Amino acid sequence: MKCEHCTRKECSKKTKTDDQENVSADAPSPAQENGEKCDTSKHKVLVVSVCPQSLPYFAAKFNLSVTDASRRVCGFLRSLGVHYVFDTRIAADFSILESQKEFVRRYRQHSEEERTLPMLTSACPGWVRYAERVLGRPITAHLCTAKSPQQVMGSLVKDYFARQQNLSPEKIFHVIVAPCYDKKLEALQEGFPPALHGSRGADCVLTSGEIAQIMEQGDLSVKDAAVDTLFGDLKEDKVTRHDGASSDGHLAHIFRHAAKELFNEDVEEVTYRALRNKDFQEVTLEKNGEVVLRFAAAYGFRNIQNMILKLKKGKFPYHFVEVLACAGGCLNGRGQAQTPDGHADKALLRQMEGIYADIPVRRPESSAHVQELYQEWLEGINSPKAREVLHTTYQSQERGAHSLDIKW
């Protein structure tokens, strides 16, 4: 993180690389030798946003509680020169809340003439890219238009946070720490939102495994630090999650919301029933002896294949499907819990699942900060700006009648 224009002590810190092993951390830069002062106009504000599914990996990897792991990772990033470390839960709040409203709208509009269901989630970039590039319009029409948590976080950092700091978006370098490699592709493929004036929401994505490798190779003295929030000098002292076994919990939260909005039913416990395998499960709501809501979770491409084939045949009875490309869900992303030979570290994964399950659940509706942002940042819950910032469209290749035929 060393800057040749800086004489400040914190800008002279380094991480160990192969070609720097014998370089002293206190060695002066060319600027120091000439007595030059730091030119802050040449700096960018470094912001890192960490996905909730990464924290159980760090906790299991370094034998820490999830709260201690959060503080340790934050402290390490700050020791590298990162200015702010955020948690992406607040972005997932927006993604879930917008998905809830969209599902209710689609359910009410669905008919034989206008087939708006099933609604398929859009938070997994591997799945979305596959739908756009391979399956085409017959499937992308069913994708939820709510942006993924990563995309929402990009707008929060480069738009809302930038304004709070009186910075232009290009003055912020935003890094995402995520459990899977597909998030890198999502950052590259994402367009330039109008509010960001030609700046990407995420400039770089590092997997949890890559961060852990840097931590293991580094020789910095690390002090724990609390994760920042987007609101002034507040700190995130308590780690919480959404109600999903290994994901951001779109299914559970949308199911509860739909049950209340459409059928005035309060659902506290969401009960999953495994069908074809543990990665294909369903959740149903019955009223007066009739199933009125039927949701499914389809994780891994084998289950996605089966879903697509049934959709093609018109034999897919679900209103909503939480679709994730990774078998086992986001916790099992290939960017973490992998053995040196590239296979899943099953023992570590089981430990991560236990850690994640013990994290307290927070429902997105309960966040006062989200409601504040809807008003202060987006000019209201259902405003045109909220629609522009929080929703997206999909690029689909028009395909023929046999567009759902897939070779595996």
Side-chain angles (χ1 to χ4, degrees), residues 124-145:
C124 172
W127 150 244
V128 170
R129 183 171 174 81
Y130 179 76
E132 288 181 313
R133 294 298 183 92
V134 178
L135 304 177
R137 178 65 185 169
I139 293 301
T140 56
H142 291 277
L143 285 175
C144 178
T145 66

Side-chain angles (χ1 to χ4, degrees), residues 72-299:
R72 184 64 55 85
V73 170
C74 181
F76 175 75
L77 292 169
R78 286 184 172 280
S79 73
L80 295 180
V82 173
H83 300 95
Y84 297 91
V85 181
F86 296 129
D87 190 314
T88 65
R89 281 171 300 158
I90 193 167
D93 284 339
F94 279 108
S95 182
I96 292 168
L97 291 171
E98 292 299 308
S99 298
Q100 288 177 172
K101 291 185 290 184
E102 182 169 340
F103 176 78
V104 169
R105 184 174 66 252
R106 283 180 180 243
Y107 190 97
R108 288 171 172 161
Q109 293 176 348
H110 181 73
S111 65
E112 288 300 319
E113 295 75 28
E114 186 178 1
R115 303 188 65 81
T116 58
L117 298 176
M119 188 174 90
L120 310 175
T121 52
S122 56
C124 172
W127 150 244
V128 170
R129 183 171 174 81
Y130 179 76
E132 288 181 313
R133 294 298 183 92
V134 178
L135 304 177
R137 178 65 185 169
I139 293 301
T140 56
H142 291 277
L143 285 175
C144 178
T145 66
K147 286 185 177 180
S148 71
Q150 176 169 306
Q151 292 172 322
V152 176
M153 197 69 202
S155 294
L156 276 167
V157 169
K158 291 291 190 81
D159 185 21
Y160 175 78
F161 178 70
R163 294 185 195 181
Q164 296 297 101
Q165 300 296 315
N166 292 318
L167 295 168
S168 59
E170 62 269 16
K171 284 292 184 182
I172 297 176
F173 191 84
H174 184 207
V175 181
I176 300 284
V177 176
C180 80
Y181 290 99
D182 285 340
K183 297 290 187 180
K184 296 175 182 277
L185 193 60
E186 180 179 23
L188 286 174
Q189 295 297 319
E190 185 185 2
F192 299 106
L196 303 191
H197 309 294
S199 176
R200 292 189 185 278
D203 298 291
C204 175
V205 174
L206 295 173
T207 67
S208 319
E210 288 170 333
I211 292 292
Q213 185 178 16
I214 297 171
M215 292 177 74
E216 291 173 331
Q217 293 176 348
D219 60 353
L220 295 170
S221 176
V222 178
K223 294 182 179 179
D224 293 356
V227 174
D228 301 285
T229 75
L230 292 163
F231 299 86
D233 295 327
L234 295 175
K235 301 291 182 182
E236 287 281 9
D237 291 323
K238 186 177 180 181
V239 175
T240 60
R241 66 174 176 88
H242 293 110
D243 193 0
S246 62
S247 66
D248 280 314
H250 283 71
L251 186 154
H253 291 290
I254 294 172
F255 185 82
R256 288 195 184 94
H257 179 79
K260 183 63 175 178
E261 285 291 310
L262 298 170
F263 303 103
N264 199 31
E265 293 285 338
D266 291 306
V267 177
E268 287 301 321
E269 188 71 23
V270 177
T271 303
Y272 293 80
R273 183 166 69 98
L275 297 181
R276 301 177 68 245
N277 51 62
K278 66 181 180 66
D279 280 327
F280 192 93
Q281 302 185 70
E282 75 169 15
V283 176
T284 58
L285 176 70
E286 291 189 17
K287 191 163 186 177
N288 301 324
E290 178 187 0
V291 175
V292 292
L293 285 178
R294 192 184 298 273
F295 282 29
Y299 298 170

Side-chain angles (χ1 to χ4, degrees), residues 3 5-6 8 37-45 171:
C3 168
H5 297 283
C6 280
R8 296 183 306 170
K37 296 284 180 87
C38 172
D39 183 357
T40 56
S41 67
K42 297 182 181 296
H43 286 270
K44 287 195 175 187
V45 173
K171 284 292 184 182

Side-chain angles (χ1 to χ4, degrees), residues 340-371:
D341 58 358
H343 293 91
D345 188 332
K346 294 183 179 180
L348 188 63
L349 181 59
R350 284 193 296 270
Q351 189 178 353
M352 290 162 55
E353 289 171 346
I355 292 170
Y356 195 67
D358 288 339
I359 299 174
V361 170
R362 178 180 58 76
R363 297 187 182 182
E365 297 90 342
S366 68
S367 173
H369 284 163
V370 169
Q371 300 306 317

